[in-house]
Amino acid sequence: MDPLGNIPMFLSILNKIPDENRRRKILIRELLLALLVLLIFLFLGRHLLQWLNLQPQSLRIGGGIVLFLIALKMIFPPPSGGIMGQFPEGEPLLVPLAVPLLAGPSTLAMLILLSSNAPEKWMSWLLAVILAWLLTSVVMICSGSLLRLLGEKGLVAVERLMGMVLVTLSVQMLLDGFSDYLRKLLESS
């Protein structure tokens, strides 16, 4: 979850809504929808892996690739300025604010991996999800103030810095996925 990197996109999408109170209601609704999606993936993600007959290694590698691509777009944004492409007109509902900005593919992949690798730690994972969501919620609710404090250039700098952090996380996810795959391959031969 990258609340600081998401501030510019959230503000640009929500600024199209003229009423300040309506913007706050939309933001809170999207935060709650994101929490719901996160909890669904935390508790049902490992069953989805089993149903699709996917190995955790493939999820690590795929999640690492997606996270890497998102991080690269944060560091080197396309000429259009946005990393997520064009958004539909009107009031957002679930897409793009809750999913994929708050509950993005890498976060969902990580939740599936955590719940698959150590299902007995579900209370710890639940607490971690709720704490991360609470921190993200506070940042998003205070996004207007943060924009005034940091300025547009400051937010761009923070987004680029978060992109660098995400690149390293994505490389680690890829390395973990490949090493798990190779270990499993060597054990089976």
Side-chain angles (χ1 to χ4, degrees):
M1 299 179 78
D2 179 23
L4 293 174
N6 286 331
I7 289 175
M9 282 180 278
F10 260 76
L11 292 176
S12 69
I13 292 168
L14 290 177
N15 280 340
K16 295 175 185 172
I17 311 297
D19 181 25
E20 176 77 27
N21 290 330
R22 185 70 191 144
R23 279 196 299 256
R24 183 169 295 278
K25 286 179 183 177
I26 292 169
L27 176 59
I28 291 168
R29 180 192 67 210
E30 296 299 309
L31 287 165
L32 291 171
L33 286 171
L35 178 62
L36 179 65
V37 170
L38 293 169
L39 294 176
I40 288 170
F41 273 78
L42 177 65
F43 290 113
L44 300 178
R46 65 188 168 112
H47 302 294
L48 180 64
L49 270 185
Q50 292 168 348
W51 182 65
L52 293 173
N53 198 25
L54 294 173
Q55 298 298 313
Q57 298 86 358
S58 61
L59 191 62
R60 272 200 181 104
I61 293 168
I65 291 170
V66 169
L67 184 59
F68 185 77
L69 293 173
I70 290 170
L72 281 181
K73 285 184 179 180
M74 288 173 71
I75 298 169
F76 306 107
S80 64
I83 68 167
M84 301 301 287
Q86 296 297 322
F87 300 114
E89 288 297 317
E91 187 176 297
L93 178 63
L94 189 64
V95 177
L97 299 181
V99 178
L101 291 178
L102 292 172
S106 318
T107 305
L108 299 177
M110 186 58 64
L111 289 175
I112 293 172
L113 287 171
L114 290 172
S115 66
S116 296
N117 291 340
E120 70 281 356
K121 293 184 177 182
W122 69 270
M123 276 298 272
S124 299
W125 305 142
L126 176 62
L127 182 62
V129 166
I130 290 173
L131 288 175
W133 177 82
L134 282 172
L135 179 63
T136 298
S137 296
V138 167
V139 170
M140 298 315 298
I141 289 170
C142 298
S143 59
S145 301
L146 287 171
L147 176 63
R148 286 188 291 279
L149 177 69
L150 297 174
E152 199 168 317
K153 288 182 181 180
L155 281 179
V156 168
V158 168
E159 183 179 15
R160 302 273 163 75
L161 178 63
M162 293 306 296
M164 291 298 296
V165 170
L166 291 179
V167 163
T168 58
L169 289 172
S170 68
V171 169
Q172 188 63 53
M173 280 179 77
L174 285 167
L175 291 173
D176 290 346
F178 284 125
S179 65
D180 285 351
Y181 176 75
L182 291 174
R183 187 178 313 112
K184 217 172 177 184
L185 193 64
L186 291 173
E187 288 172 359
S188 67
S189 32

